[in-house]
Amino acid sequence: MRKILLKSLREYKREAILAPFFVILEVFLEVLIPFMMTKIIDVGIMEKNLPYVLRLGLILVLMAIASLIFGVAAGRTAAIAGAGYGKNLRHDIFYKVQDFSFQNIDHYSSSGLVTRMTTDTTNIQMAFMMTIRILTRTPIMMILSLFMAININKNIASLFLVGVILLAGGLGIIVKVVHPYFRKVFQSYDTLNQVVQENVRGARVVKAYVREDYEIDKFKDVSSLVYRLYTTAQKIVAWNGPLMQFTMYLVILAIFLIGGKAIAYGNMKIGELTAIMVYAMQILISLMMVTFVFVLNIISSASADRIEEILREEPSLANPKHPKGDVKQGDIQFDHVNFRYKNEGKKYILNDINFSIHEGETIGIIGGTGSGKSTLVQLIPRLYDVTEGRILVGGIDVRDYDLTTLRDKVAMVLQKNTLFTGTIKDNIRWGNQEATDEEVQEVCKLAKAHDFIKEFPKGYDTTITQGGTNVSGGQKQRLCIARALLKKPKILILDDSMSAVDTKTESEIRHGLMNHLPNTTKIIISQRISSIEDADRIIVIHEGRIHGFGTSQELLKTNHIYREIYETQLEGGDRLEG
């Protein structure tokens, strides 16, 4: 097992050490039992010494009971160590992901992360539990059994070595060939999980567009790929059983031939041949068990690669050595900011962004799809870091702040924000776990969510289902706005987060924010002119560049992009919706 993965043992190290210890005691007694049987047969039975048979028989029974006790203890401690190790490993992966930036998360699919914390971790847990029992047992059993067999007959004992070498060579070839297939299997599991997640989350869209057959075919293709890869891998692993059986029968046959001849010539006793046969079975059965563990380790090796990749991933964002612990002001300055995603080549998403926002201002942002609006605001709370230039909040570079402090003071509401399973009250208190019921209701009134919440039979104690499927899109957005307001932020960013709200309610929310949060800097991204027209100033973004910055009236005179959007939406009756 790899060092970085073994770090997850922690408080279960004791059980992980005790399990092999009990296995060693169990094996030691199992190896002595055939030796005692030899004495009973060759000395007690052959010489008709009944007291000797009874005395050694009693010792044999006590040894068998002790071996049973040690075996149970080994199984119990191995189970505790394995289950605890799996628990800690899932914990470590989950906590590691919590430290990931958006850039790190972009590198892995959500389905891939889920597979790593479930299927991959289970594979490693099972392999670890079997390893500390079986792979501890096998070498000790082989060494002790071989030592005892050599004391009885060196020539016959040499047959064991031939069998072990033959089997080990075959297993080595199987492992080398099959490992790449299992790695592809788990990569396909990621895709399979993604298809299932998308289908379940988008069930309403699938049914609305009558795309069930398309989704079934997509699932069938991915499922068939997993089947083909797994079948190919298992066909290779299937050679393990016949190879084991062939080796075992070959060794037993050779022992019978050589041992029978030795007994006929008086060079070996029946009890000695019996003991050697038991030692042969012990060695070969141990090898058969270890081949099972080898299969688990082949599978878990691919899983270990994937988990190790997560644990070794360095978060692209980290606190400075001496972070600033307080955001005193909500003014913002973009100073010659350029940005590109790491894996997107040399193309910049944002180019030479320069502007300043005063504390308490309401700033609107508008632009076409893919122009960089969301990317721009995600740089403020350091969800990504700038590629070049700097962003100042309260006169301090955002990279100099403590990340938790900065993000506590910059509240961001996305268009597709998420509600979690739990009550409405619990979801809103994500913004402040210590908030009172009165504070929760106050922000809900400000976000125009209080009225529809009270219509639910349980009010604020109404349970939100997974993904918030039991509330409408507009209700979900208003709950997310209330959650952000509860943080009492210095900067509030609404990234197209009222797109599902009717224009009348949206207007009431905007005016409420302006009146109740005069000192909070408010940034509103929207595709609707009516949502940002009354902002203090408006930023027009086009193809990653600032194309205009000013009041609505100024932009109507100086910026043709803003003017075109304005005229198009007015002609479309957008103003009349309110």
Side-chain angles (χ1 to χ4, degrees), residues 469-494:
T469 54
N470 59 334
V471 291
S472 69
Q475 290 172 337
K476 184 188 296 185
Q477 287 184 338
R478 281 177 277 172
L479 291 174
C480 292
I481 292 171
R483 181 172 65 188
L485 293 176
L486 198 60
K487 293 176 70 173
K488 297 179 181 178
K490 294 286 186 181
I491 300 170
L492 175 64
I493 301 171
L494 304 178

Short mmCIF file of all heavy atoms in Angstrom, two decimals, residues 469-494:
data_model
loop_
_atom_site.label_atom_id
_atom_site.label_comp_id
_atom_site.label_asym_id
_atom_site.label_seq_id
_atom_site.Cartn_x
_atom_site.Cartn_y
_atom_site.Cartn_z
N THR A 469 -35.80 20.64 -5.82
CA THR A 469 -36.78 20.35 -6.87
C THR A 469 -38.21 20.66 -6.46
O THR A 469 -39.10 20.66 -7.30
CB THR A 469 -36.70 18.87 -7.29
OG1 THR A 469 -36.84 18.04 -6.12
CG2 THR A 469 -35.34 18.57 -7.94
N ASN A 470 -38.45 20.88 -5.15
CA ASN A 470 -39.82 21.16 -4.72
C ASN A 470 -40.10 22.65 -4.60
O ASN A 470 -41.10 23.06 -4.00
CB ASN A 470 -40.13 20.45 -3.39
CG ASN A 470 -39.18 20.87 -2.28
OD1 ASN A 470 -38.06 21.27 -2.52
ND2 ASN A 470 -39.65 20.76 -1.05
N VAL A 471 -39.21 23.48 -5.14
CA VAL A 471 -39.48 24.92 -5.26
C VAL A 471 -39.20 25.33 -6.71
O VAL A 471 -38.42 24.68 -7.41
CB VAL A 471 -38.60 25.77 -4.30
CG1 VAL A 471 -39.01 25.54 -2.86
CG2 VAL A 471 -37.12 25.47 -4.48
N SER A 472 -39.85 26.41 -7.15
CA SER A 472 -39.67 26.85 -8.53
C SER A 472 -38.31 27.52 -8.70
O SER A 472 -37.61 27.82 -7.73
CB SER A 472 -40.78 27.83 -8.90
OG SER A 472 -40.61 29.06 -8.18
N GLY A 473 -37.96 27.78 -9.96
CA GLY A 473 -36.68 28.44 -10.24
C GLY A 473 -36.58 29.81 -9.61
O GLY A 473 -35.55 30.17 -9.02
N GLY A 474 -37.66 30.59 -9.70
CA GLY A 474 -37.66 31.92 -9.11
C GLY A 474 -37.59 31.88 -7.60
O GLY A 474 -36.91 32.69 -6.96
N GLN A 475 -38.30 30.91 -6.98
CA GLN A 475 -38.24 30.77 -5.53
C GLN A 475 -36.85 30.36 -5.07
O GLN A 475 -36.34 30.86 -4.07
CB GLN A 475 -39.28 29.72 -5.09
CG GLN A 475 -40.73 30.18 -5.25
CD GLN A 475 -41.72 29.07 -4.98
OE1 GLN A 475 -41.40 27.89 -5.09
NE2 GLN A 475 -42.95 29.44 -4.63
N LYS A 476 -36.25 29.46 -5.84
CA LYS A 476 -34.89 29.02 -5.50
C LYS A 476 -33.92 30.20 -5.53
O LYS A 476 -33.09 30.37 -4.63
CB LYS A 476 -34.43 27.92 -6.46
CG LYS A 476 -33.07 27.34 -6.13
CD LYS A 476 -32.56 26.40 -7.21
CE LYS A 476 -33.43 25.18 -7.36
NZ LYS A 476 -32.87 24.20 -8.34
N GLN A 477 -34.03 31.02 -6.58
CA GLN A 477 -33.13 32.17 -6.69
C GLN A 477 -33.33 33.15 -5.53
O GLN A 477 -32.36 33.68 -4.98
CB GLN A 477 -33.34 32.87 -8.03
CG GLN A 477 -32.79 32.08 -9.21
CD GLN A 477 -32.92 32.83 -10.52
OE1 GLN A 477 -33.75 33.72 -10.67
NE2 GLN A 477 -32.09 32.45 -11.49
N ARG A 478 -34.57 33.37 -5.12
CA ARG A 478 -34.82 34.30 -4.01
C ARG A 478 -34.30 33.75 -2.69
O ARG A 478 -33.79 34.50 -1.85
CB ARG A 478 -36.32 34.61 -3.93
CG ARG A 478 -36.77 35.64 -4.96
CD ARG A 478 -38.26 35.88 -4.90
NE ARG A 478 -39.01 34.88 -5.66
CZ ARG A 478 -40.33 34.78 -5.65
NH1 ARG A 478 -41.05 35.61 -4.91
NH2 ARG A 478 -40.94 33.86 -6.37
N LEU A 479 -34.40 32.45 -2.49
CA LEU A 479 -33.83 31.83 -1.28
C LEU A 479 -32.31 31.97 -1.27
O LEU A 479 -31.71 32.22 -0.21
CB LEU A 479 -34.23 30.35 -1.21
CG LEU A 479 -35.71 30.05 -0.93
CD1 LEU A 479 -35.97 28.56 -1.04
CD2 LEU A 479 -36.12 30.56 0.45
N CYS A 480 -31.70 31.81 -2.44
CA CYS A 480 -30.24 31.95 -2.53
C CYS A 480 -29.80 33.40 -2.27
O CYS A 480 -28.74 33.64 -1.67
CB CYS A 480 -29.75 31.48 -3.89
SG CYS A 480 -29.92 29.69 -4.16
N ILE A 481 -30.60 34.35 -2.73
CA ILE A 481 -30.30 35.77 -2.46
C ILE A 481 -30.40 36.04 -0.97
O ILE A 481 -29.54 36.70 -0.37
CB ILE A 481 -31.24 36.69 -3.26
CG1 ILE A 481 -30.94 36.59 -4.75
CG2 ILE A 481 -31.11 38.14 -2.79
CD1 ILE A 481 -31.96 37.28 -5.65
N ALA A 482 -31.44 35.50 -0.32
CA ALA A 482 -31.60 35.68 1.12
C ALA A 482 -30.42 35.08 1.87
O ALA A 482 -29.90 35.66 2.83
CB ALA A 482 -32.91 35.03 1.58
N ARG A 483 -29.97 33.92 1.42
CA ARG A 483 -28.81 33.26 2.05
C ARG A 483 -27.57 34.13 1.97
O ARG A 483 -26.80 34.24 2.93
CB ARG A 483 -28.57 31.91 1.36
CG ARG A 483 -27.43 31.10 1.92
CD ARG A 483 -27.41 29.72 1.31
NE ARG A 483 -27.14 29.76 -0.12
CZ ARG A 483 -27.22 28.69 -0.92
NH1 ARG A 483 -27.61 27.53 -0.42
NH2 ARG A 483 -26.96 28.78 -2.20
N ALA A 484 -27.36 34.77 0.82
CA ALA A 484 -26.20 35.64 0.64
C ALA A 484 -26.32 36.90 1.50
O ALA A 484 -25.32 37.37 2.08
CB ALA A 484 -26.06 36.03 -0.84
N LEU A 485 -27.53 37.45 1.61
CA LEU A 485 -27.72 38.67 2.40
C LEU A 485 -27.46 38.43 3.88
O LEU A 485 -27.04 39.34 4.60
CB LEU A 485 -29.15 39.19 2.21
CG LEU A 485 -29.50 39.71 0.80
CD1 LEU A 485 -30.97 40.09 0.73
CD2 LEU A 485 -28.62 40.88 0.42
N LEU A 486 -27.70 37.21 4.34
CA LEU A 486 -27.50 36.90 5.76
C LEU A 486 -26.03 37.00 6.16
O LEU A 486 -25.71 37.14 7.34
CB LEU A 486 -28.05 35.50 6.07
CG LEU A 486 -28.33 35.19 7.54
CD1 LEU A 486 -29.37 36.14 8.11
CD2 LEU A 486 -28.79 33.74 7.70
N LYS A 487 -25.14 36.96 5.17
CA LYS A 487 -23.71 37.10 5.46
C LYS A 487 -23.33 38.54 5.80
O LYS A 487 -22.23 38.78 6.29
CB LYS A 487 -22.88 36.63 4.24
CG LYS A 487 -22.98 35.16 3.94
CD LYS A 487 -22.22 34.80 2.67
CE LYS A 487 -20.72 34.90 2.87
NZ LYS A 487 -19.96 34.39 1.70
N LYS A 488 -24.24 39.47 5.51
CA LYS A 488 -23.97 40.90 5.69
C LYS A 488 -22.64 41.27 5.01
O LYS A 488 -21.71 41.75 5.64
CB LYS A 488 -23.92 41.26 7.17
CG LYS A 488 -25.25 41.02 7.88
CD LYS A 488 -25.18 41.37 9.35
CE LYS A 488 -26.52 41.09 10.03
NZ LYS A 488 -26.48 41.37 11.49
N PRO A 489 -22.58 41.06 3.70
CA PRO A 489 -21.30 41.20 2.99
C PRO A 489 -20.94 42.66 2.72
O PRO A 489 -21.80 43.54 2.73
CB PRO A 489 -21.57 40.47 1.68
CG PRO A 489 -23.02 40.68 1.44
CD PRO A 489 -23.67 40.65 2.80
N LYS A 490 -19.65 42.87 2.48
CA LYS A 490 -19.19 44.17 1.99
C LYS A 490 -19.48 44.32 0.50
O LYS A 490 -19.70 45.42 -0.01
CB LYS A 490 -17.69 44.31 2.23
CG LYS A 490 -17.26 44.37 3.68
CD LYS A 490 -17.60 45.70 4.31
CE LYS A 490 -17.03 45.80 5.72
NZ LYS A 490 -17.37 47.09 6.37
N ILE A 491 -19.45 43.17 -0.19
CA ILE A 491 -19.70 43.14 -1.65
C ILE A 491 -20.73 42.06 -1.93
O ILE A 491 -20.59 40.92 -1.49
CB ILE A 491 -18.40 42.85 -2.42
CG1 ILE A 491 -17.34 43.92 -2.14
CG2 ILE A 491 -18.68 42.74 -3.92
CD1 ILE A 491 -15.96 43.58 -2.67
N LEU A 492 -21.77 42.40 -2.68
CA LEU A 492 -22.81 41.45 -3.07
C LEU A 492 -22.80 41.33 -4.59
O LEU A 492 -22.96 42.33 -5.30
CB LEU A 492 -24.18 41.92 -2.58
CG LEU A 492 -25.39 41.08 -3.02
CD1 LEU A 492 -25.31 39.68 -2.43
CD2 LEU A 492 -26.70 41.76 -2.62
N ILE A 493 -22.63 40.11 -5.09
CA ILE A 493 -22.59 39.85 -6.53
C ILE A 493 -23.78 39.00 -6.92
O ILE A 493 -23.95 37.88 -6.39
CB ILE A 493 -21.27 39.15 -6.93
CG1 ILE A 493 -20.06 40.00 -6.55
CG2 ILE A 493 -21.26 38.85 -8.43
CD1 ILE A 493 -18.73 39.30 -6.72
N LEU A 494 -24.61 39.50 -7.81
CA LEU A 494 -25.76 38.75 -8.32
C LEU A 494 -25.48 38.42 -9.79
O LEU A 494 -25.61 39.27 -10.66
CB LEU A 494 -27.04 39.57 -8.18
CG LEU A 494 -27.38 40.06 -6.77
CD1 LEU A 494 -28.66 40.90 -6.79
CD2 LEU A 494 -27.51 38.90 -5.80
#
